Amino acid sequence: MILVAGGTGRLGADVVAALLAEGSPVRVLTRDARRAAPLRRLGVQVAIGDVREPGTLGAAVAGVRTVVSTVHGFARRDGGTPRTVDRDGNGALVEAAAHAGAEVVLLSVLGAAPDHPLALFRMKAAAEEHLRARLPRSTILRCAAFAELHLEMLAKTASRGGAPVVLGRGDNPVNMVSVPDVVSAVLAAVRGEFPGETLDVGGPEDLTLVQLADAVRRGLADPDRNVRHVPRSVLRAVATLERLPRLPVGQIAALALAMDCLPMTYDALHHPDAVEWRGSARVGATRRG
Ligand SMILES: NC(=O)c1ccc[n+]([C@@H]2O[C@H](COP(=O)([O-])OP(=O)(O)OC[C@H]3O[C@@H](n4cnc5c(N)ncnc54)[C@H](OP(=O)(O)O)[C@@H]3O)[C@@H](O)[C@H]2O)c1
């Protein structure tokens, strides 16, 4: 049995579908039984629980071989935060998995580090450290930004105002990976191909948000409208709200600033330790020390 924590989410739902397609028995951990109802119809077991409440996790991990954690607490309106979900919640999940004799595949972020300016990246680094110490044969997948998410967000802003809105200058190259390629990496990890490894999962290209916005703009009824920008000064002001719970806008502004200013490129193709080129040779999963 494979437990997918966050199996109702963007990546999690695709992981569940891929596991079912290859005949693996799947259980999903969710806080919301209604969101999991369609999964039940596909034969997925549903465990109701919240990673912030360790007492709800025992039943979820019973009889499980591998726990895949796709949960996160970034920019949520439900009170979850990187600290309570990504660090402490994943910590509780790892403890529950250890008690059940299961291994863990942890979804983390490319560039996670204890001194990163963003709380999400610091809390993912803490979760990684805990997992490595507690279950040394588990696998950590540090993923680049999901291209689909950013394309959807740009398309949404375009549907409101006629042209996509880019947060910041949008000229900083950022590595983007597609969700199906991350699913491939998760499935390989579940099969036990990377025991004890921490892998970077990056896409084939570094892209700027302006390039993505242009791609969205070209598909619009009126493609001549210029991409609009939210200036960095506005992002800086909004990012001061980062610590307020249930108000995603501060965390989103802080992430947007980071994506606009920090080095976010990734070159798996030329990495000396690249171990995998999957699917249509679009994802490089690269070992890290
Ligand atoms: N999106 C990106 O660009 C990106 C980039 C790199 C890494 N990642 C990582 O990839 C993973 C999947 O991301 P995603 O964008 O697919 O996420 P998503 O669509 O937002 O889904 C997140 C899932 O987390 C679950 N969740 C949140 N709080 C929870 C809690 N307290 N207890 C139990 N479950 C909880 C939600 O389930 P319920 O609401 O049903 O409980 C939801 O299904 C995350 O770990 C993320 O950090 C994402």
Side-chain angles (χ1 to χ4, degrees), residues 5-13 28-33 35-36 49-53 56-57 69-74 76 78 80 84-86 89-90 106-110 120-121 124 141-147 149-150 177 179 182 201 255:
T8 53
R10 173 189 306 270
L11 172 68
V28 162
L29 175 73
T30 174
R31 294 160 300 165
D32 185 347
R35 287 189 74 194
D50 187 321
V51 294
R52 294 169 298 175
E53 295 168 18
T56 64
L57 303 179
S69 175
T70 69
V71 301
H72 72 84
F74 177 76
R76 303 202 75 93
D78 57 19
T84 59
V85 177
D86 293 281
N90 273 320
L106 174 70
L107 272 295
S108 184
V109 289
L110 193 59
L120 174 69
F121 287 57
K124 289 285 197 192
L141 300 174
R142 297 177 139 196
C143 304
F146 294 175
L149 176 72
H150 291 279
V177 67
V179 170
V182 178
V201 183
L255 177 64

Side-chain angles (χ1 to χ4, degrees), residues 17 20 60 85 94-95 97 132 142-143 172 175 182 184 197 203 206 210 225-226 236 241-242 252 258 264 284:
L20 289 175
V85 177
V94 167
E95 288 305 313
R132 278 190 215 102
R142 297 177 139 196
C143 304
N172 190 32
N175 192 259
V182 178
S184 297
E197 305 256 14
D206 301 325
V210 165
R225 290 204 182 196
N226 286 333
R236 273 189 211 103
L241 307 174
E242 189 188 355
I252 291 169
M264 290 228 169

Side-chain angles (χ1 to χ4, degrees), residues 149-221:
L149 176 72
H150 291 279
L151 283 167
E152 269 171 34
M153 286 190 327
L154 288 163
K156 203 182 271 183
T157 60
S159 71
R160 287 193 200 118
V165 177
V166 167
L167 301 182
R169 294 178 196 161
D171 57 1
N172 190 32
V174 175
N175 192 259
M176 299 269 167
V177 67
S178 77
V179 170
D181 289 339
V182 178
V183 173
S184 297
V186 172
L187 257 63
V190 168
R191 281 194 297 271
E193 289 186 27
F194 314 123
E197 305 256 14
T198 299
L199 295 106
D200 292 340
V201 183
E205 268 187 291
D206 301 325
L207 294 165
T208 68
L209 285 183
V210 165
Q211 284 174 310
L212 283 190
D214 275 338
V216 168
R217 190 172 55 83
R218 284 195 293 273
L220 295 175

